[in-house]
C-alpha cells in the first residue's frame, strides 16, 4: 500500500505565495510521474503541474510563470511553490503519484489540501 500526505495549504491574499509539499510512503519501487492536480467547487479535477523522472515538466497554461514544481526522487517528495496567487487558484489541491510497486503501475492520490485566495 502507498500513502501520499500533503501539507502547506491555507488562506492567502491575492498576490501572495504558498508552498505545498507531499511525501509518498509505502511499497514504492519507482514513481513516474509525480505532480499536483486541483479541483474547484463545481468543476472537474485538473492538472496543475506534473514532473516525470526525466524530461520536461508539464504545467497548466493558467499557472505557467507563477507556479514551480520540484521533486526529490530519492525521498519520494514533490513540492509546489505558488506565487502571484489569484482568487481563481482557490481549490482543493491533490498530490498524485504513478507508482510502480507490487509488480504493477498504479495511480495514488493524497487526501487533498485546501488553498483559498481572497481578493
Amino acid at each position: 500500500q502507498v500513502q501520499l500526505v500533503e501539507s502547506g495549504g491555507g488562506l492567502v491574499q491575492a498576490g501572495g505565495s504558498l508552498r505545498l509539499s507531499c511525501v509518498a510512503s509505502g511499497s514504492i519501487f519507482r514513481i513516474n510521474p509525480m505532480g499536483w492536480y486541483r479541483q474547484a467547487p463545481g468543476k472537474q479535477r485538473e492538472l496543475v503541474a506534473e514532473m516525470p523522472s526525466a524530461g520536461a515538466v508539464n504545467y497548466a497554461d493558467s499557472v505557467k510563470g507563477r507556479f514551480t514544481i520540484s521533486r526529490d526522487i530519492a525521498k519520494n517528495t514533490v513540492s509546489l511553490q505558488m506565487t502571484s496567487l489569484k482568487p481563481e487558484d482557490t481549490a482543493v489541491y491533490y498530490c498524485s503519484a504513478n507508482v510502480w510497486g507490487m509488480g504493477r503501475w498504479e495511480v495514488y492520490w493524497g487526501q487533498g489540501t485546501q488553498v483559498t485566495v481572497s481578493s
Side-chain angles (χ1 to χ4, degrees):
Q1 190 63 283
V2 174
Q3 287 187 324
L4 275 62
V5 178
E6 301 125 334
S7 60
L11 173 64
V12 65
Q13 288 188 332
S17 299
L18 281 175
R19 184 177 180 86
L20 306 183
S21 296
C22 172
V23 57
S25 61
S27 300
I28 299 169
F29 180 73
R30 185 180 177 192
I31 299 177
N32 190 33
M34 196 170 186
W36 294 91
Y37 286 71
R38 68 186 180 187
Q39 188 167 17
K43 295 188 177 181
Q44 288 190 330
R45 190 173 297 189
E46 63 175 3
L47 172 71
V48 177
E50 193 170 66
M51 192 168 192
S53 299
V57 175
N58 186 22
Y59 287 101
D61 287 343
S62 59
V63 307
K64 285 180 181 177
R66 300 189 297 121
F67 292 10
T68 303
I69 189 172
S70 58
R71 240 183 104 175
D72 187 324
I73 293 175
K75 295 182 179 179
N76 293 329
T77 62
V78 64
S79 296
L80 186 69
Q81 180 67 45
M82 305 184 292
T83 63
S84 302
L85 282 159
K86 304 175 181 180
E88 51 263 44
D89 294 317
T90 295
V92 178
Y93 284 68
Y94 296 91
C95 177
S96 173
N98 188 32
V99 178
W100 176 265
M102 307 299 286
R104 65 173 188 260
W105 287 101
E106 188 167 348
V107 177
Y108 292 89
W109 297 91
Q111 80 283 0
T113 185
Q114 177 70 46
V115 171
T116 302
V117 184
S118 63
S119 58

